[in-house]
């Protein structure tokens, strides 16, 4: 049967009674071999579907294990970032990204549920990598841009990726590119006052630079 802590976790993330009973049945026949999953709601349900639908796939089970490890590294990075240790947090996020690459290499062909979990987690990890690189004692601005572009390749509507890339581009003196990112962020999230403020500031700066260049 499903361990009590897993049953509690499932209900806590909104998995209904019917799904919980299905998981207990799957566990009873050995289809579910995970009694602890330290994942977000989407990943948790995805891993359950993948393991129970394809219990014979060793690749899928290995992907679930690697994904759990990646989430552990990510959580450790989050704790370090909250403690204002961006350099140490960055190290944990890099470990998470390496684990995710291993999972991508090992996932079974056609495992669409695994794809969804991996890409969502990858986007989250690279957003955090960008935040760390922005807050290093010597910010790695090119690294911020690269990390955000990884995110935008997965989700081109990511407001945080637009905002962080725009911040890095602005500091690099690439005013018009930064302006484009903040305008996009403000359109995606009209309630984002910081994005609107930065867009207005950069618009004025771009106009000033344009006038100076035309002299």
């Amino acid at each position: 049967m499903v361990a009590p802590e897993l049953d509690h976790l499932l209900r806590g993330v909104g998995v209904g009674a019917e799904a919980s009973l299905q998981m207990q049945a799957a566990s009873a026949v050995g289809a579910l071999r995970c009694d602890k999953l330290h994942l977000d709601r989407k990943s948790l349900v995805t891993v359950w579907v993948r393991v129970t639908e394809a219990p014979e796939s060793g690749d899928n089970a290995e992907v679930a294990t690697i994904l759990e490890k990646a989430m552990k590294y990510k959580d450790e990075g989050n704790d370090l970032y909250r403690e204002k240790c961006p350099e140490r947090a960055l190290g944990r996020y890099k470990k998470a990204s390496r684990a995710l690459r291993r999972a991508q290499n090992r996932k079974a062909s056609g495992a669409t549920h695994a794809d969804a979990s991996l890409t969502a987690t990858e986007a989250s990890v690279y957003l955090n990598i960008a935040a760390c690189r922005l807050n290093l004692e010597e910010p790695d601005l090119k690294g911020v841009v690269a990390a955000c572009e990884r995110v935008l390749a997965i989700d081109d509507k990511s407001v945080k990726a637009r905002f962080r890339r725009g911040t890095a581009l602005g500091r690099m003196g690439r005013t018009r590119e930064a302006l484009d990112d903040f305008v996009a962020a403000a359109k995606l999230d009209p309630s984002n006052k910081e994005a609107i403020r930065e867009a207005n500031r950069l618009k004025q700066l771009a106009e000033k630079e344009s006038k100076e260049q035309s002299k």
Side-chain angles (χ1 to χ4, degrees):
M1 300 296 284
V2 173
E5 62 268 27
L6 179 57
D7 185 65
H8 176 73
L9 178 59
L10 289 168
R11 295 178 187 279
V13 297
V15 176
E18 181 180 353
S20 182
L21 288 172
Q22 289 174 353
M23 289 192 69
Q24 291 184 25
S27 181
V29 298
L32 182 66
R33 290 184 291 274
C34 301
D35 61 359
K36 284 187 179 180
L37 290 173
H38 193 57
L39 305 173
D40 58 28
R41 174 178 176 176
K42 183 175 182 181
S43 297
L44 175 68
V45 177
T46 297
V47 170
W48 167 65
V49 170
R50 175 159 36 78
V51 174
T52 56
E53 285 185 352
E56 74 285 353
S57 172
D59 287 340
N60 283 340
E62 186 177 6
V63 168
T65 300
I66 297 173
L67 182 56
E68 184 177 3
K69 183 177 291 187
M71 292 298 294
K72 176 178 176 291
Y73 289 140
K74 178 175 175 285
D75 286 345
E76 291 172 354
N78 291 347
D79 290 340
L80 288 166
Y81 188 80
R82 281 191 289 268
E83 293 170 8
K84 302 188 185 304
C85 301
E87 188 168 352
R88 292 176 61 199
L90 181 59
R92 306 313 286 177
Y93 293 137
K94 285 181 176 179
K95 284 191 173 184
S97 70
R98 288 194 291 270
L100 290 169
R101 283 199 297 273
R102 290 199 303 275
Q104 287 283 7
N105 292 335
R106 286 167 171 74
K107 67 181 173 62
S109 59
T112 55
H113 295 301
D115 285 336
S117 291
L118 290 170
T119 53
T121 306
E122 182 182 13
S124 177
V125 167
Y126 275 97
L127 275 175
N128 293 348
I129 286 174
C132 287
R133 287 173 172 167
L134 267 178
N135 287 282
L136 293 173
E137 189 172 338
E138 294 184 11
D140 176 9
L141 300 179
K142 289 183 179 179
V144 174
V145 172
C148 290
E149 287 177 352
R150 290 287 293 267
V151 177
L152 291 167
I154 296 169
D155 176 14
D156 63 357
K157 292 181 172 58
S158 172
V159 174
K160 288 183 178 180
R162 294 282 182 183
F163 193 101
R164 290 170 190 173
R165 187 174 70 174
T167 300
L169 290 169
R171 293 184 189 178
M172 294 166 71
R174 294 161 62 176
T175 304
R176 293 192 177 278
E177 292 171 86
L179 174 59
D180 288 343
D181 269 338
F182 281 110
V183 168
K187 286 181 178 178
L188 289 165
D189 180 9
S191 66
N192 193 321
K193 294 180 180 179
E194 287 185 78
I196 294 170
R197 183 166 54 248
E198 280 300 297
N200 289 332
R201 183 184 70 81
L202 287 164
K203 182 180 179 182
Q204 293 175 358
L205 181 58
E207 290 172 351
K208 180 181 177 181
E209 290 176 351
S210 181
K211 288 179 181 178
E212 289 176 351
Q213 290 172 3
S214 63
K215 287 181 180 179

